[in-house]
Amino acid sequence: MDCETTDVVICGCGPTGAMLSAYLGQMSIPNIVLEKGAEITTDPRGIALDEDGIRLLQGAGLYPSVYTEIGTCMHKFKFIGGTDLVLDKRAFIEMDYGTTEGSTGHVGFICHKQPALERCLRDTMASSKYCDLRSNSEVISLSEDDQGTICQYRDAKGQERRIRSQFFIGADGKTGFTRKQYLEPRGILMEQAHQSFYEETWVALNWKISLPNEKTHPDFALWRLGYTPEQVYDLFFPLNFRFICNPNRPSVCGRFGLPSDRLWRFEFVVGKGEDGDEMAEPGMIKKVVFPYITHPGRRYGLLQDVQFPEDCIQVLRSRPFRFSARSCNRWSDGRVVLCGDAAHVFPPFGGQGIASGFRDAVSLAWRLAVLCRIQEDKPNFHEQVLKAWYEERKQQLEKSLSSTIENGKFVTESNPFKIWIRNVYLWFVQLVPSWRHELSLGRRKEGLVRYEHLPGMPFMAEHNGGLCLPQVYCRSLQGSDTEVKFTDDIIFGQGKTGMFQLLVYLKTLDEVASAREVVSNIGDLSHGLIRDDETTFLVEDMAAASSKIDQDLFRLASGEEFAQSKLCENRPEPKFYDPFCLRKAFEGRRYTIIRPDRFIFASCNSREELRTIARAAAAHVQGSEAS
């Protein structure tokens, strides 16, 4: 049997696998993606994506699609208590994710339609000559030797084929081939991932809503009161996501996708002694969910209750799922790697499943690119690089899990005394404006992720390394180009080929000339890891203007400038945006070397230090620091 070759084979083209392929394509790394399904599933699964996820979509070139094809800002998370089945009651706490108070320049969450998200990622893959998606292709065997991996799969025509690659990535989910059939016999197992163990069965329900009107539903009572079809929709399926902290039946619900999609998600816990499959049946859905879309007549001065018309509801999904917080003990073995749901699974309360897979993919992509390009002269260098990768990722995973489980505690608490204590505490906290504001930030109050350094991790903790780089807005100082941009897009701009990038952060234009002298010849010292001609200069002074044509020179932009730009179309204006968060993150340092996954390798403030950290960056990717 003939055996073709490529650098990387990815098993699975869900969001994680597609994101990994897209970023590898940006780095000119040939990759083949084997997807078991013939088409993108039309069943929306994950529906929430946090600001990190939006940022990484932006990095894949998909920001123009975020609010036009993929989703909508989620705005507020409302936590409502009590046992009455009412959605528009007063919340005991609200978390506002429609602001830009995080460190990415984006809103806190969007509610997306996963099929649209996956289609956009696949379109990005299709635009790259380095990405090769093969649908309806099932992996049937995998082996390794000294040169790499050999994958055997059955293609869309039923023929068996083989691919040799340097690395094989399992992005095929928690029940996929890579972990279940290949790595579990080698000792890689899912384990409890957090000290607050959580495992429950929930039913996930997706509805597509059609608008009733006076012609289709002439007997619907609210027409006589002057309500329009859109108003009826808003009454029964209100804006903002709701965490229903009902001790009898904890639930979560809200709209997702674009407003025109009219999609609604409802999830509820399966109680003790109940069967998940039975609870997902239409009869039980009517008992559990329909009371929330049935309003008492007295609300409208009517004698009879008002239910949203059942024939205007199309059921897209009604399935039980076992939610848990688990992570594999190791995420790689030799040249076979797990990422996304294949490596870890989340409870549903924090919208972290897809975002965590994105983080896995982007932080893995540049490491694979390095490993595929260099000639290893150190035994097992790739194993050390991959181990350092998943040890980094596990640190952030633990943080995300903690926030997710904290949200879950709000929803699932059933002890009356603990509920009373919780409500009294939250009532008291919200009496103080500053405390109320901090509470409204939700998980964003935890601030930027900073990794704790362990041997082999590619950053210098003593030079501010391991910190996630904030993103702000900026404008070019080149006369004709006045569009507002995201700083990621200028730092990692199209056409740049250096693996790491150098950002020079200055207060005024007067400092630019001397800074250019400092960064000269950095490319030689880093053995091409960083390129001198790709350095980005960012000036803090928002009033700065220059008559010179310097394509690498930018100034900070204000929130008001962003609000008037095309980048702000279909999303909220950047409320609470901090244009100076880069200065705070750098702590006065001018020169920062940045990894492709948006983490700082090191920052410094002098010519000598810059040369030291440039040499160290090159040493890391060449293996001399991988022990």
Side-chain angles (χ1 to χ4, degrees), residues 33-73:
V33 184
L34 302 176
E35 166 56 41
K36 187 176 180 179
E39 301 288 344
I40 296 172
T41 178
T42 58
D43 177 22
R45 289 158 291 172
I47 62 169
L49 189 68
D50 72 5
E51 58 189 304
D52 280 353
I54 304 170
R55 183 183 189 179
L56 298 179
L57 284 175
Q58 171 203 330
L62 286 173
Y63 183 76
S65 299
V66 169
Y67 296 104
T68 57
E69 299 178 62
I70 296 173
T72 310
C73 175

Side-chain angles (χ1 to χ4, degrees), residues 10-23 114 117-118 121 125 169-173 338-342 344 353-362 364:
I10 302 169
C11 183
C13 197
T16 299
M19 180 67 79
L20 176 58
S21 176
Y23 271 78
Q114 187 171 335
L117 171 69
E118 293 189 29
L121 282 168
M125 293 167 57
I169 313 301
D172 47 348
L338 296 173
C339 61
D341 287 351
H344 47 75
I354 291 178
S356 289
F358 282 179
R359 296 184 194 106
D360 292 351
V362 176
L364 178 61

Side-chain angles (χ1 to χ4, degrees), residues 142-144 149 166-170 178 182-183 188 331-338 386:
L142 182 63
S143 61
E144 295 179 74
T149 69
Q166 295 193 52
F167 295 93
F168 183 95
I169 313 301
T178 311
Y182 185 76
L183 290 178
I188 293 185
W331 294 8
S332 69
D333 184 83
R335 292 176 177 269
V336 179
V337 186
L338 296 173
L386 294 172

Side-chain angles (χ1 to χ4, degrees), residues 343-373:
H344 47 75
V345 292
F346 276 81
F349 307 112
Q352 290 299 297
I354 291 178
S356 289
F358 282 179
R359 296 184 194 106
D360 292 351
V362 176
S363 59
L364 178 61
W366 73 265
R367 289 166 163 94
L368 291 175
V370 166
L371 292 172
C372 289
R373 287 174 180 171

Side-chain angles (χ1 to χ4, degrees), residues 271-327:
K272 293 181 180 179
E274 294 177 340
D275 179 82
D277 291 319
E278 291 180 2
M279 296 303 296
E281 292 295 322
M284 295 307 300
I285 296 300
K286 285 189 177 182
K287 291 183 179 180
V288 174
V289 183
F290 272 67
Y292 286 101
I293 59 168
T294 302
H295 294 174
R298 62 180 179 275
R299 174 173 174 173
Y300 306 101
L302 301 173
L303 296 177
Q304 294 184 334
D305 293 345
V306 183
Q307 178 185 294
F308 188 83
E310 186 176 350
D311 59 353
C312 289
I313 298 170
Q314 178 187 357
V315 179
L316 302 180
R317 152 180 288 222
S318 184
R319 294 177 56 188
F321 283 91
R322 189 73 175 170
F323 292 121
S324 60
R326 294 179 176 271
S327 174

Side-chain angles (χ1 to χ4, degrees), residues 431-442:
L431 293 176
V432 181
S434 61
W435 294 354
R436 182 172 63 250
H437 176 70
E438 183 177 352
L439 196 63
S440 74
L441 293 179

